[in-house]
Amino acid sequence: MFSRNGCYAKTPDVVLRPFAEWGHAYAFTPSEPDIIDLNATAFFIVELCDGRPYAQIENDYVAAVESKVGSNKAREQFQTGFAQLLERNIISASD
């Protein structure tokens, strides 16, 4: 369940395998067995999800990429990517 006031982290049983040279990573979700190809944007969002609050994750993402795509586009990319990662159970609310 999503909450703008919540804190988020990589779901504990998810296994990530980054391929920096290819600009993406694979995520294995054992609870719903699947291997998901993450682009650089999605992988970066997962890396930012280390238990910090949603607003901080969003602001840190925007700060890192806004010089390349602008703040509105960066915020849009983040919100779309975050929602997809949450839906796929790659990230989840943390305590």
Side-chain angles (χ1 to χ4, degrees):
M1 177 167 38
F2 172 72
S3 168
R4 287 191 178 273
N5 297 323
C7 296
Y8 293 88
K10 179 182 73 66
T11 302
D13 64 348
V14 170
V15 178
L16 294 177
R17 175 66 168 102
F19 293 92
E21 63 276 10
W22 296 335
H24 72 106
Y26 288 114
F28 174 64
T29 55
S31 62
E32 299 169 22
D34 199 2
I35 296 175
I36 301 154
D37 190 5
L38 303 178
N39 64 18
T41 298
F43 182 62
F44 183 45
I45 294 170
V46 173
E47 287 187 315
L48 292 174
C49 292
D50 59 1
R52 48 184 127 176
Y54 175 86
Q56 184 181 354
I57 298 166
E58 181 178 38
N59 290 337
D60 290 348
Y61 178 87
V62 171
V65 302
E66 70 183 336
S67 65
K68 294 181 174 131
V69 299
S71 62
N72 288 339
K73 181 68 173 176
R75 200 164 302 282
E76 180 184 312
Q77 285 177 344
F78 171 79
Q79 291 168 354
T80 300
F82 187 91
Q84 291 173 348
L85 291 165
L86 197 58
E87 182 180 317
R88 301 295 297 265
N89 202 32
I90 295 169
I91 59 172
S92 54
S94 61
D95 297 329

